[in-house]
PDB file of all heavy atoms in Angstrom:
ATOM      1  N   ASN A 770      25.555 -22.288   1.944  1.00 85.00           N
ATOM      2  CA  ASN A 770      25.111 -23.117   3.054  1.00 85.00           C
ATOM      3  C   ASN A 770      23.952 -22.471   3.836  1.00 85.00           C
ATOM      4  O   ASN A 770      24.044 -22.287   5.049  1.00 85.00           O
ATOM      5  CB  ASN A 770      26.289 -23.425   3.987  1.00 85.00           C
ATOM      6  CG  ASN A 770      25.983 -24.598   4.876  1.00 85.00           C
ATOM      7  OD1 ASN A 770      25.175 -25.453   4.556  1.00 85.00           O
ATOM      8  ND2 ASN A 770      26.635 -24.621   6.040  1.00 85.00           N
ATOM      9  N   PRO A 771      22.848 -22.138   3.160  1.00 87.00           N
ATOM     10  CA  PRO A 771      21.730 -21.499   3.857  1.00 87.00           C
ATOM     11  C   PRO A 771      21.043 -22.449   4.830  1.00 87.00           C
ATOM     12  O   PRO A 771      21.074 -23.666   4.642  1.00 87.00           O
ATOM     13  CB  PRO A 771      20.785 -21.114   2.718  1.00 87.00           C
ATOM     14  CG  PRO A 771      21.087 -22.088   1.633  1.00 87.00           C
ATOM     15  CD  PRO A 771      22.553 -22.388   1.753  1.00 87.00           C
ATOM     16  N   LYS A 772      20.434 -21.875   5.879  1.00 89.00           N
ATOM     17  CA  LYS A 772      19.680 -22.680   6.841  1.00 89.00           C
ATOM     18  C   LYS A 772      18.467 -23.322   6.191  1.00 89.00           C
ATOM     19  O   LYS A 772      18.073 -24.424   6.540  1.00 89.00           O
ATOM     20  CB  LYS A 772      19.183 -21.806   8.000  1.00 89.00           C
ATOM     21  CG  LYS A 772      20.197 -21.475   9.033  1.00 89.00           C
ATOM     22  CD  LYS A 772      19.512 -20.724  10.166  1.00 89.00           C
ATOM     23  CE  LYS A 772      20.482 -20.338  11.230  1.00 89.00           C
ATOM     24  NZ  LYS A 772      19.820 -19.614  12.319  1.00 89.00           N
ATOM     25  N   VAL A 773      17.837 -22.590   5.294  1.00 91.00           N
ATOM     26  CA  VAL A 773      16.632 -23.064   4.621  1.00 91.00           C
ATOM     27  C   VAL A 773      16.532 -22.371   3.267  1.00 91.00           C
ATOM     28  O   VAL A 773      17.017 -21.254   3.100  1.00 91.00           O
ATOM     29  CB  VAL A 773      15.369 -22.794   5.488  1.00 91.00           C
ATOM     30  CG1 VAL A 773      15.114 -21.322   5.656  1.00 91.00           C
ATOM     31  CG2 VAL A 773      14.140 -23.471   4.940  1.00 91.00           C
ATOM     32  N   VAL A 774      15.946 -23.066   2.309  1.00 92.00           N
ATOM     33  CA  VAL A 774      15.671 -22.485   0.997  1.00 92.00           C
ATOM     34  C   VAL A 774      14.190 -22.717   0.709  1.00 92.00           C
ATOM     35  O   VAL A 774      13.718 -23.854   0.743  1.00 92.00           O
ATOM     36  CB  VAL A 774      16.524 -23.135  -0.118  1.00 92.00           C
ATOM     37  CG1 VAL A 774      16.102 -22.635  -1.490  1.00 92.00           C
ATOM     38  CG2 VAL A 774      18.001 -22.877   0.131  1.00 92.00           C
ATOM     39  N   ALA A 775      13.472 -21.635   0.436  1.00 92.00           N
ATOM     40  CA  ALA A 775      12.058 -21.725   0.081  1.00 92.00           C
ATOM     41  C   ALA A 775      11.885 -21.175  -1.330  1.00 92.00           C
ATOM     42  O   ALA A 775      12.271 -20.049  -1.605  1.00 92.00           O
ATOM     43  CB  ALA A 775      11.214 -20.929   1.072  1.00 92.00           C
ATOM     44  N   LEU A 776      11.335 -21.990  -2.202  1.00 92.00           N
ATOM     45  CA  LEU A 776      11.064 -21.555  -3.570  1.00 92.00           C
ATOM     46  C   LEU A 776       9.603 -21.158  -3.689  1.00 92.00           C
ATOM     47  O   LEU A 776       8.744 -21.798  -3.093  1.00 92.00           O
ATOM     48  CB  LEU A 776      11.349 -22.675  -4.571  1.00 92.00           C
ATOM     49  CG  LEU A 776      12.780 -23.143  -4.713  1.00 92.00           C
ATOM     50  CD1 LEU A 776      12.872 -24.217  -5.796  1.00 92.00           C
ATOM     51  CD2 LEU A 776      13.702 -21.989  -5.044  1.00 92.00           C
ATOM     52  N   ASP A 777       9.333 -20.143  -4.472  1.00 90.00           N
ATOM     53  CA  ASP A 777       7.960 -19.706  -4.691  1.00 90.00           C
ATOM     54  C   ASP A 777       7.600 -19.868  -6.171  1.00 90.00           C
ATOM     55  O   ASP A 777       7.115 -18.955  -6.816  1.00 90.00           O
ATOM     56  CB  ASP A 777       7.784 -18.249  -4.232  1.00 90.00           C
ATOM     57  CG  ASP A 777       6.326 -17.821  -4.240  1.00 90.00           C
ATOM     58  OD1 ASP A 777       5.458 -18.678  -4.489  1.00 90.00           O
ATOM     59  OD2 ASP A 777       6.060 -16.633  -4.027  1.00 90.00           O
ATOM     60  N   THR A 778       7.879 -21.046  -6.684  1.00 91.00           N
ATOM     61  CA  THR A 778       7.504 -21.400  -8.049  1.00 91.00           C
ATOM     62  C   THR A 778       6.831 -22.764  -7.982  1.00 91.00           C
ATOM     63  O   THR A 778       7.448 -23.735  -7.554  1.00 91.00           O
ATOM     64  CB  THR A 778       8.743 -21.478  -8.972  1.00 91.00           C
ATOM     65  OG1 THR A 778       9.410 -20.214  -8.963  1.00 91.00           O
ATOM     66  CG2 THR A 778       8.350 -21.827 -10.390  1.00 91.00           C
ATOM     67  N   ILE A 779       5.560 -22.802  -8.370  1.00 91.00           N
ATOM     68  CA  ILE A 779       4.817 -24.057  -8.340  1.00 91.00           C
ATOM     69  C   ILE A 779       5.356 -24.961  -9.447  1.00 91.00           C
ATOM     70  O   ILE A 779       5.414 -24.565 -10.606  1.00 91.00           O
ATOM     71  CB  ILE A 779       3.304 -23.824  -8.559  1.00 91.00           C
ATOM     72  CG1 ILE A 779       2.758 -22.751  -7.615  1.00 91.00           C
ATOM     73  CG2 ILE A 779       2.534 -25.131  -8.459  1.00 91.00           C
ATOM     74  CD1 ILE A 779       2.490 -23.169  -6.217  1.00 91.00           C
ATOM     75  N   LEU A 780       5.748 -26.154  -9.095  1.00 94.00           N
ATOM     76  CA  LEU A 780       6.331 -27.107 -10.044  1.00 94.00           C
ATOM     77  C   LEU A 780       5.377 -28.287 -10.218  1.00 94.00           C
ATOM     78  O   LEU A 780       5.728 -29.437  -9.985  1.00 94.00           O
ATOM     79  CB  LEU A 780       7.696 -27.572  -9.539  1.00 94.00           C
ATOM     80  CG  LEU A 780       8.746 -26.481  -9.377  1.00 94.00           C
ATOM     81  CD1 LEU A 780       9.943 -26.984  -8.584  1.00 94.00           C
ATOM     82  CD2 LEU A 780       9.158 -25.945 -10.736  1.00 94.00           C
ATOM     83  N   SER A 781       4.147 -27.991 -10.642  1.00 94.00           N
ATOM     84  CA  SER A 781       3.101 -29.017 -10.684  1.00 94.00           C
ATOM     85  C   SER A 781       2.969 -29.713 -12.036  1.00 94.00           C
ATOM     86  O   SER A 781       2.287 -30.729 -12.137  1.00 94.00           O
ATOM     87  CB  SER A 781       1.759 -28.397 -10.307  1.00 94.00           C
ATOM     88  OG  SER A 781       1.430 -27.358 -11.208  1.00 94.00           O
ATOM     89  N   ASP A 782       3.603 -29.175 -13.060  1.00 94.00           N
ATOM     90  CA  ASP A 782       3.487 -29.763 -14.391  1.00 94.00           C
ATOM     91  C   ASP A 782       4.840 -30.278 -14.863  1.00 94.00           C
ATOM     92  O   ASP A 782       5.860 -29.646 -14.616  1.00 94.00           O
ATOM     93  CB  ASP A 782       2.983 -28.719 -15.400  1.00 94.00           C
ATOM     94  CG  ASP A 782       1.610 -28.191 -15.029  1.00 94.00           C
ATOM     95  OD1 ASP A 782       0.730 -29.013 -14.728  1.00 94.00           O
ATOM     96  OD2 ASP A 782       1.428 -26.958 -15.025  1.00 94.00           O
ATOM     97  N   PRO A 783       4.844 -31.394 -15.581  1.00 94.00           N
ATOM     98  CA  PRO A 783       6.117 -31.881 -16.109  1.00 94.00           C
ATOM     99  C   PRO A 783       6.641 -30.953 -17.197  1.00 94.00           C
ATOM    100  O   PRO A 783       5.877 -30.344 -17.935  1.00 94.00           O
ATOM    101  CB  PRO A 783       5.783 -33.261 -16.684  1.00 94.00           C
ATOM    102  CG  PRO A 783       4.308 -33.330 -16.778  1.00 94.00           C
ATOM    103  CD  PRO A 783       3.724 -32.271 -15.904  1.00 94.00           C
ATOM    104  N   GLY A 784       7.958 -30.848 -17.242  1.00 93.00           N
ATOM    105  CA  GLY A 784       8.613 -30.047 -18.273  1.00 93.00           C
ATOM    106  C   GLY A 784       9.481 -30.947 -19.124  1.00 93.00           C
ATOM    107  O   GLY A 784       9.256 -32.158 -19.210  1.00 93.00           O
ATOM    108  N   ASP A 785      10.499 -30.369 -19.711  1.00 94.00           N
ATOM    109  CA  ASP A 785      11.464 -31.132 -20.493  1.00 94.00           C
ATOM    110  C   ASP A 785      12.101 -32.182 -19.570  1.00 94.00           C
ATOM    111  O   ASP A 785      12.571 -31.841 -18.481  1.00 94.00           O
ATOM    112  CB  ASP A 785      12.529 -30.173 -21.043  1.00 94.00           C
ATOM    113  CG  ASP A 785      13.638 -30.909 -21.740  1.00 94.00           C
ATOM    114  OD1 ASP A 785      13.493 -31.165 -22.939  1.00 94.00           O
ATOM    115  OD2 ASP A 785      14.657 -31.211 -21.067  1.00 94.00           O
ATOM    116  N   PRO A 786      12.115 -33.450 -19.957  1.00 96.00           N
ATOM    117  CA  PRO A 786      12.637 -34.497 -19.066  1.00 96.00           C
ATOM    118  C   PRO A 786      14.072 -34.251 -18.582  1.00 96.00           C
ATOM    119  O   PRO A 786      14.384 -34.496 -17.414  1.00 96.00           O
ATOM    120  CB  PRO A 786      12.546 -35.771 -19.907  1.00 96.00           C
ATOM    121  CG  PRO A 786      11.467 -35.493 -20.894  1.00 96.00           C
ATOM    122  CD  PRO A 786      11.556 -34.016 -21.195  1.00 96.00           C
ATOM    123  N   ALA A 787      14.940 -33.768 -19.458  1.00 96.00           N
ATOM    124  CA  ALA A 787      16.330 -33.522 -19.054  1.00 96.00           C
ATOM    125  C   ALA A 787      16.398 -32.368 -18.046  1.00 96.00           C
ATOM    126  O   ALA A 787      17.116 -32.455 -17.044  1.00 96.00           O
ATOM    127  CB  ALA A 787      17.194 -33.216 -20.273  1.00 96.00           C
TER     128      ALA A 787
END
Side-chain angles (χ1 to χ4, degrees):
N770 198 25
K772 281 185 181 180
V773 65
V774 173
L776 295 182
D777 189 6
T778 301
I779 309 281
L780 299 167
S781 60
D782 299 312
D785 174 87

